[in-house]
Amino acid sequence: MKTIKAYLMLAVIALVVAACSGNGANNGRSGANAPDNASEAGSGKQEPVTIKYTFWGSPNEKKVQEAAIKGFMKKYPWITVKAQHIPEEYTTKLQTMAVSGETPDIGLLYGEDTMKWAEEGRLYNIKDFFDNDSEIQLTDVLENTQYWWDEGKLAGINGALEVFGLFYNKAMFEELGVEPLPTKAEEALSWEEFVEVAQRLTIDSGGRNALDPAFDPGKIKQFGISLPTWAYMNAVESNGGKFVNEDGTQFMLSEPEAVEAIQRWQDLIYKYHVAPTPTQSASFPGGATGLQSKKFAISMDGQWTLVDLGASGLDFGIGVLPVMKQMKTMNLGEPIVIFKDTKHPQEAWLLLKWMMNPENTLELQSSGLWMPVLKKWYEDPELIAKWAQGNSAHPEGYVDAILNNGFNNGFQNTVYYVRNVPEINSVLQPAFDLIWQGKQTAEQALGDVKPKVEAVLKGVYNR
Amino acid sequence: MIRSKKTKLALYALLIVLSCFCLFPFLWLIRSSLMQMSQIYETPPVWIPSPFQFGNYSEALTVLPFGRYFLNTSLIVVLEVTGVVLTSAVCAYAFARLRWPGRNVVFMIILTSMMLPGAVTLIPVFLGWSSLGAVNTIVPLTVPAWFGGGAFNVFLIRQFLLTIPKDLDEAALVDGAGYIRIFTHIMFPLAKPALIVVGLFSFLNGWNDFLGPLIYLNDEAKFTLALGLQLFKGMYNAQWHLMMAATTMVVLPAIVVFFLGQKYFVEGIVMSGVKG
Amino acid sequence: MTEAAARAGNPASSFKNRRKKEALYGYLLASPVILGFLIFVLGPMIASFIFSFTDYNVISRMNFVGLANYRNLFDGTDPFFYKSLGVTAYYVLLGVPLQIVCSFLMALLLNQNIQGRSIFRTIFYLPTIVPVVASSVLFLWLLNPDIGLFNQILEMLGLPTSQWIYSERMAVPSLVLMSLWTIGGTTVIFLAGLQGVPRHLYEAVEVDGGKARHRLLYVTIPLMTPTIFFNTVMGLIGGFQIFGQAYIMTQGGPNNATLFYSYYLYREAFDNFRMGSASAIAWVLFVIILAMTLLVFKSSNLWVFNENEEGKR
């Protein structure tokens, strides 16, 4: 009995190895058409293969991703992709699957988990696939969508790029006679100008704006701006600050540049009363719904909010982020990775490549949810027109304020390069609670938490 | 026992005030679920929605398949309740009516597990199910119910069976009935009030369980109502009118069952003498 | 029985056989709960005890680390341990006595012989059947500082409003308040206990000219002490395991003000997948609950009424 099992195992392994090396050779030799060759061969020789792909996302995202996968299966008929949508507690669920030996072959993974899993040797080095594939070069891919866990070791490529910008309700601007927000990075509002715009847009129940001496901050009817406090690195980097120092041994948010930037955000809430407190923002919806119901006039947010804005029918405008010392906008996104447990790495790679090509997920791009990860989709006007122009989610101004600005002035979110982010955040979060609740100044809270954070700093990842 | 009218009146007043405290959240829930978003923010608060926005319910339903979550939850709960009622009754019978060496010691030991915080066993049990590949199925949520249904339920039914006169089963024994027959034909029917209480308790437990499904279920398609509501909350943060509509849909089935079993719920528990 | 034995001829051996058969069936029929205990309680307990001395994280090889997990908790290496212990203790110490007192009073009220009693009982029990996710979402809304019902009512009455769960100071009291909404379960158990108080004792007090106050002090409360005891123990155990509210309403915030022990444990086990250290956390909880229960048990000699002295009721 045992010997039979062993033989079977051997046979399977042999088959897999043969299949893999066969594919590899194919890719190496036949260049750009490798997958097509494979597909032709597929009708007769390709063994049918099933791979599991896991992802999260809204119902809308789910639909489009599933459509993209259908297209993939049509192109590669011998590959069946079982797409599993896990909307909640994604990390936990994936760990669970790992325990039961049901790790997916390929899937989305949160940035911080990606790094951890990669270090534990649970992910493929994607760079090897790029090296063996003449169809696509690593240089084709935006740098800020790449998760490197060591020199020459690439853990994953984002499903999408995301950047920050300002989104506003045009009607509210017109009512109050406020100029539309600038869209070009060179013309961005300075911080002082931005505060003033926000003050003019904040109205109390007596109809006075926040510049009026009689303004009553206890009875605010509409706020100037909704602030993504969790994305404070936008302010920090714009003011020339850093999260940690070069080698990741020192906590830098307690340095003057960072403190000043975060203090400015806090001041929007407690000094100028133009942004809601965390408590206030808990009472009304954020994003598109908040703009639409006139709870606030400007939403500073990631560009994914466009998917809701586009669908809402609201007449909205787009502006470029305000600038402190330099224009910066945070780049973020969660990578798609290939799991080490997979028996079909080549097929998984084909799927990853498929998902990287905006052509195949065009609906996600044009709906406003995703931004492409391939450079030429930011440079070639013809390609840009395919997703970033002429649809309800991408009004005028998008190309300057979001697309170009993200492409030129993007910086990486901390998870891309700082080690041990989950632990750091669990220590840091309480300090930020105090800041956003107005209990302590940025200087006080960040100074106090510095030793605690430094106790869990573990350096940075080498690229 | 109450003599003066005054005391009686005061009593009623007090009861009514307290009832308001219990009922107001429900009213507020339903009121909010039928409002347009703009009306929710009006101050002073509007008490009666106008117009009644029944569309909130259909909107919540188009976002997430609460109907399917309802079926998923029902399946889990039915399996759970059946398991608990059947096996806890059988076990209680063994502890209450049959004499066997070590019975009381075993019973005491099992009773102590009532004091055990679930957290202690959570991790190994979870890892056990994981290694059996049972995660993302309803197995971990339902199978344990078929193992006696927990110490508390066995205890409850045992207490009840102890009150049934011994002559009954002895007479049956004399008539040549076996123990199984005595259980199925005498004890089980007689224990009905206690069984209903146990059934209702385990219904509520199953219906309200959050941690279990949270840990064991992955696929959205397999979610329970509780998980679905949590998911909905994540997607529609602070859109209170929709969240309240979804919440109502989660609460409603439990309330319906409660009223169906109302007679047994409170009075039954009171009468069956659940006490320390 | 004797009749049957006599018919069988040899009374002694038949009796023995019967006994044997009965025992066999006893084991057989009790086996589900015994197996359940072994599989789902005892086995996991042992496993969890062993895990607590390892660095088990599911993925990599498990190493024994001795007492390191416990040491990390107690020497403050883990910054959340004492915090979550404190927060949970605060919740329990504030919540359990309030719940006991309120539900006891409620039970006394509902035990009065009044019209519509069962309707009132139903009303008070109703909140307990709301799933914790639903009640959490509902209270998130009710406690909303800007437009929630609570603050609206306070405002109408001209009273100061509160930030409720969004304020570090008020977060735990808010959740205690929320727990009072669902005391129906405890109330019902008290009601059950009240049925067991013999009427003749009340009558005796009345004959002696005692008022309602005396009935309560000299009859009801002493006779109810076992139920109070039971509810206190169950309240403690339940209080230490509060999870859903923290998970759904506050995520442990603000500034860890609601980092309840079970939530902290969940985070360690299922977010960080540090099963070893999570098991240690669970065992500390177990020991705490055990100690508290024993303490209540020990003290019970002082205040719990002993039925046996009074004879069987």
Side-chain angles (χ1 to χ4, degrees), chain A residues 324-345:
Chain A
M324 291 186 188
K325 286 190 181 131
Q326 52 195 341
M327 174 50 79
K328 286 282 177 186
T329 176
M330 184 153 83
N331 284 181
L332 44 86
E334 316 300 343
I336 300 177
V337 303
I338 298 177
F339 295 93
K340 252 292 159 52
D341 288 345
T342 178
K343 294 193 179 71
H344 310 291

Short mmCIF file of all heavy atoms in Angstrom, two decimals, chain A residues 324-345:
data_model
loop_
_atom_site.label_atom_id
_atom_site.label_comp_id
_atom_site.label_asym_id
_atom_site.label_seq_id
_atom_site.Cartn_x
_atom_site.Cartn_y
_atom_site.Cartn_z
N MET A 324 3.07 71.19 1.30
CA MET A 324 3.74 71.85 2.42
C MET A 324 5.11 72.31 1.93
O MET A 324 5.27 73.42 1.49
CB MET A 324 3.81 70.92 3.62
CG MET A 324 2.42 70.68 4.24
SD MET A 324 2.45 69.72 5.76
CE MET A 324 0.71 69.45 6.04
N LYS A 325 6.11 71.42 1.96
CA LYS A 325 7.41 71.83 1.42
C LYS A 325 7.61 71.29 0.01
O LYS A 325 8.30 71.87 -0.80
CB LYS A 325 8.53 71.32 2.33
CG LYS A 325 8.62 72.10 3.61
CD LYS A 325 9.88 71.77 4.40
CE LYS A 325 9.90 72.57 5.70
NZ LYS A 325 10.18 71.70 6.85
N GLN A 326 7.06 70.12 -0.25
CA GLN A 326 7.20 69.53 -1.58
C GLN A 326 5.94 68.74 -1.90
O GLN A 326 5.26 68.28 -0.99
CB GLN A 326 8.41 68.57 -1.59
CG GLN A 326 8.35 67.56 -0.46
CD GLN A 326 9.68 66.85 -0.21
OE1 GLN A 326 10.54 66.85 -1.07
NE2 GLN A 326 9.85 66.27 0.96
N MET A 327 5.64 68.59 -3.18
CA MET A 327 4.45 67.84 -3.55
C MET A 327 4.72 66.35 -3.36
O MET A 327 5.69 65.81 -3.89
CB MET A 327 4.09 68.14 -5.00
CG MET A 327 2.94 67.29 -5.53
SD MET A 327 1.49 67.28 -4.45
CE MET A 327 0.77 68.86 -4.87
N LYS A 328 3.87 65.70 -2.59
CA LYS A 328 3.99 64.26 -2.39
C LYS A 328 2.60 63.66 -2.29
O LYS A 328 1.70 64.26 -1.70
CB LYS A 328 4.73 63.96 -1.07
CG LYS A 328 6.21 64.22 -1.10
CD LYS A 328 6.95 63.11 -1.81
CE LYS A 328 8.44 63.41 -1.90
NZ LYS A 328 9.16 62.43 -2.70
N THR A 329 2.44 62.50 -2.85
CA THR A 329 1.17 61.78 -2.66
C THR A 329 1.49 60.32 -2.41
O THR A 329 2.35 59.74 -3.06
CB THR A 329 0.21 61.97 -3.85
OG1 THR A 329 -0.95 61.17 -3.63
CG2 THR A 329 0.84 61.57 -5.16
N MET A 330 0.81 59.77 -1.44
CA MET A 330 1.16 58.40 -1.02
C MET A 330 0.71 57.39 -2.07
O MET A 330 -0.42 57.42 -2.54
CB MET A 330 0.51 58.09 0.32
CG MET A 330 0.90 56.72 0.86
SD MET A 330 0.83 56.67 2.65
CE MET A 330 -0.89 56.35 2.92
N ASN A 331 1.62 56.49 -2.40
CA ASN A 331 1.28 55.36 -3.27
C ASN A 331 1.04 54.15 -2.41
O ASN A 331 1.84 53.84 -1.53
CB ASN A 331 2.44 55.03 -4.21
CG ASN A 331 2.54 56.03 -5.35
OD1 ASN A 331 3.40 55.92 -6.20
ND2 ASN A 331 1.67 57.03 -5.37
N LEU A 332 -0.04 53.49 -2.66
CA LEU A 332 -0.22 52.24 -1.94
C LEU A 332 -0.99 51.26 -2.80
O LEU A 332 -1.41 51.59 -3.92
CB LEU A 332 -0.90 52.45 -0.58
CG LEU A 332 -2.10 53.38 -0.47
CD1 LEU A 332 -3.36 52.63 -0.81
CD2 LEU A 332 -2.20 53.92 0.93
N GLY A 333 -1.14 50.09 -2.27
CA GLY A 333 -1.80 49.04 -3.02
C GLY A 333 -1.37 47.71 -2.44
O GLY A 333 -0.33 47.63 -1.78
N GLU A 334 -2.19 46.72 -2.65
CA GLU A 334 -1.86 45.42 -2.08
C GLU A 334 -1.47 44.48 -3.22
O GLU A 334 -2.08 44.47 -4.28
CB GLU A 334 -3.05 44.86 -1.31
CG GLU A 334 -3.76 45.87 -0.41
CD GLU A 334 -2.88 46.48 0.67
OE1 GLU A 334 -1.80 45.91 0.96
OE2 GLU A 334 -3.27 47.53 1.22
N PRO A 335 -0.42 43.71 -2.99
CA PRO A 335 0.13 42.90 -4.08
C PRO A 335 -0.59 41.58 -4.31
O PRO A 335 -1.23 41.03 -3.41
CB PRO A 335 1.56 42.63 -3.61
CG PRO A 335 1.46 42.64 -2.13
CD PRO A 335 0.40 43.64 -1.78
N ILE A 336 -0.44 41.10 -5.53
CA ILE A 336 -0.82 39.72 -5.84
C ILE A 336 0.47 38.90 -5.75
O ILE A 336 1.52 39.31 -6.26
CB ILE A 336 -1.40 39.62 -7.27
CG1 ILE A 336 -2.65 40.50 -7.38
CG2 ILE A 336 -1.76 38.17 -7.60
CD1 ILE A 336 -3.25 40.52 -8.77
N VAL A 337 0.39 37.79 -5.07
CA VAL A 337 1.59 36.97 -4.85
C VAL A 337 1.34 35.55 -5.32
O VAL A 337 0.19 35.13 -5.51
CB VAL A 337 1.97 36.96 -3.36
CG1 VAL A 337 2.18 38.36 -2.84
CG2 VAL A 337 0.90 36.24 -2.54
N ILE A 338 2.43 34.82 -5.50
CA ILE A 338 2.33 33.39 -5.83
C ILE A 338 2.84 32.60 -4.64
O ILE A 338 3.96 32.82 -4.17
CB ILE A 338 3.12 33.06 -7.11
CG1 ILE A 338 2.54 33.85 -8.28
CG2 ILE A 338 3.08 31.57 -7.40
CD1 ILE A 338 3.30 33.67 -9.58
N PHE A 339 2.02 31.71 -4.16
CA PHE A 339 2.36 30.99 -2.93
C PHE A 339 3.28 29.82 -3.21
O PHE A 339 3.11 29.11 -4.22
CB PHE A 339 1.09 30.53 -2.22
CG PHE A 339 0.25 31.67 -1.75
CD1 PHE A 339 -0.77 32.19 -2.54
CD2 PHE A 339 0.48 32.26 -0.51
CE1 PHE A 339 -1.54 33.26 -2.10
CE2 PHE A 339 -0.29 33.32 -0.07
CZ PHE A 339 -1.30 33.82 -0.87
N LYS A 340 4.22 29.60 -2.31
CA LYS A 340 5.21 28.54 -2.47
C LYS A 340 4.57 27.16 -2.53
O LYS A 340 5.10 26.24 -3.16
CB LYS A 340 6.20 28.59 -1.28
CG LYS A 340 7.61 29.10 -1.62
CD LYS A 340 8.39 28.20 -2.51
CE LYS A 340 9.53 28.79 -3.28
NZ LYS A 340 10.50 29.55 -2.52
N ASP A 341 3.43 27.02 -1.90
CA ASP A 341 2.79 25.70 -1.87
C ASP A 341 2.20 25.29 -3.21
O ASP A 341 1.79 24.14 -3.38
CB ASP A 341 1.64 25.69 -0.84
CG ASP A 341 2.18 25.72 0.57
OD1 ASP A 341 3.40 25.46 0.73
OD2 ASP A 341 1.41 26.00 1.50
N THR A 342 2.15 26.20 -4.15
CA THR A 342 1.48 25.87 -5.40
C THR A 342 2.22 24.77 -6.16
O THR A 342 3.45 24.70 -6.14
CB THR A 342 1.31 27.10 -6.31
OG1 THR A 342 0.69 26.68 -7.51
CG2 THR A 342 2.65 27.73 -6.64
N LYS A 343 1.46 23.95 -6.82
CA LYS A 343 2.06 22.93 -7.67
C LYS A 343 2.12 23.44 -9.10
O LYS A 343 2.65 22.78 -9.98
CB LYS A 343 1.23 21.65 -7.61
CG LYS A 343 1.23 20.99 -6.24
CD LYS A 343 0.67 19.57 -6.33
CE LYS A 343 0.68 18.89 -4.97
NZ LYS A 343 -0.33 19.48 -4.06
N HIS A 344 1.55 24.59 -9.35
CA HIS A 344 1.47 25.09 -10.71
C HIS A 344 1.96 26.53 -10.80
O HIS A 344 1.20 27.44 -11.18
CB HIS A 344 0.02 25.02 -11.21
CG HIS A 344 -0.61 23.68 -10.98
ND1 HIS A 344 -0.22 22.56 -11.67
CD2 HIS A 344 -1.58 23.29 -10.13
CE1 HIS A 344 -0.93 21.52 -11.25
NE2 HIS A 344 -1.76 21.94 -10.31
N PRO A 345 3.21 26.76 -10.47
CA PRO A 345 3.71 28.14 -10.46
C PRO A 345 3.60 28.82 -11.82
O PRO A 345 3.31 30.01 -11.90
CB PRO A 345 5.16 28.01 -10.01
CG PRO A 345 5.53 26.58 -10.20
CD PRO A 345 4.27 25.80 -10.09
#
